Amino acid sequence: MISAGTFHVISTELTVGMFALAGIAFLLCALQKGPESREAVAHWALLGGLIATPLAIISGVNSVSGEGIDNPMLANKMLLSMTSAGLAVGVLLRKKWGASVDLRHSSIGMVSVALMLTTAGIGGEYSRGETLLLFIPKETVLLFPVWASIAIMILGLAIVGKSTVQHRS
């Protein structure tokens, strides 16, 4: 039987590797250099990393000693990985809906990758005490207050409620 910690290492390496490959391919897309397969590689690697992300999160939560997420670094890891996953879903949906892979599309893909790699860096500091992210504050959790979350939700519902397509009668 594989322990939660060992499974977390395996799933994390898979997630980080796929996101890193996607990041390189998105960089090539932004520069418009490299083989024609760069767009396919970017999106398939992003999808692979996105599929592996829940495995890394669940195994990470199970391998943490203590009563859940009581460390600010772990809370930041959850926040950053969920933000990265949301951006990745948006990039993949935009591509599925037929959008071109332009500079903006590639940049959002690279931001998703950067957030996931930052998550991995925080994990390295949490588990081994070593990181390349020396200047990023990891002991402060940046969360919205409840009132701001409610205001954004109401704004989002108001925007979705209005059709952006003009219909002719």
Side-chain angles (χ1 to χ4, degrees):
M1 189 72 171
I2 297 176
S3 70
T6 302
F7 187 72
H8 179 63
V9 169
I10 293 168
S11 60
T12 299
E13 293 300 325
L14 178 63
T15 303
V16 169
M18 295 298 277
F19 269 91
L21 176 61
I24 292 168
F26 276 121
L27 178 62
L28 291 174
C29 289
L31 297 174
Q32 298 180 352
K33 301 284 185 192
E36 291 297 318
S37 62
R38 64 184 178 264
E39 290 180 16
V41 170
H43 292 95
W44 281 108
L46 193 64
L47 179 63
L50 194 59
I51 291 170
T53 298
L55 298 173
I57 291 172
I58 292 168
S59 63
V61 169
N62 288 334
S63 65
V64 171
S65 60
E67 298 290 323
I69 301 175
D70 55 355
N71 188 309
M73 282 198 279
L74 297 178
N76 281 328
K77 281 177 58 82
M78 286 292 291
L79 180 67
L80 291 173
S81 64
M82 290 291 97
T83 304
S84 174
L87 288 172
V89 167
V91 166
L92 292 173
L93 285 177
R94 186 172 186 269
K95 177 62 177 168
K96 177 154 177 51
W97 292 335
S100 64
V101 181
D102 55 0
L103 181 61
R104 186 177 79 168
H105 184 88
S106 299
S107 297
I108 294 171
M110 287 188 287
V111 168
S112 174
V113 169
L115 290 173
M116 191 58 74
L117 295 180
T118 302
T119 302
I122 293 172
E125 183 170 355
Y126 178 77
S127 63
R128 296 181 310 278
E130 54 191 35
T131 185
L132 294 174
L133 308 172
L134 302 174
F135 302 109
I136 295 178
K138 295 168 273 303
E139 295 296 326
T140 302
V141 181
L142 300 173
L143 296 177
F144 275 171
V146 174
W147 65 266
S149 298
I150 292 171
I152 290 173
M153 183 179 71
I154 291 170
L155 181 65
L157 291 173
I159 292 172
V160 170
K162 295 183 179 185
S163 177
T164 59
V165 178
Q166 288 184 337
H167 301 281
R168 295 182 185 204
S169 38

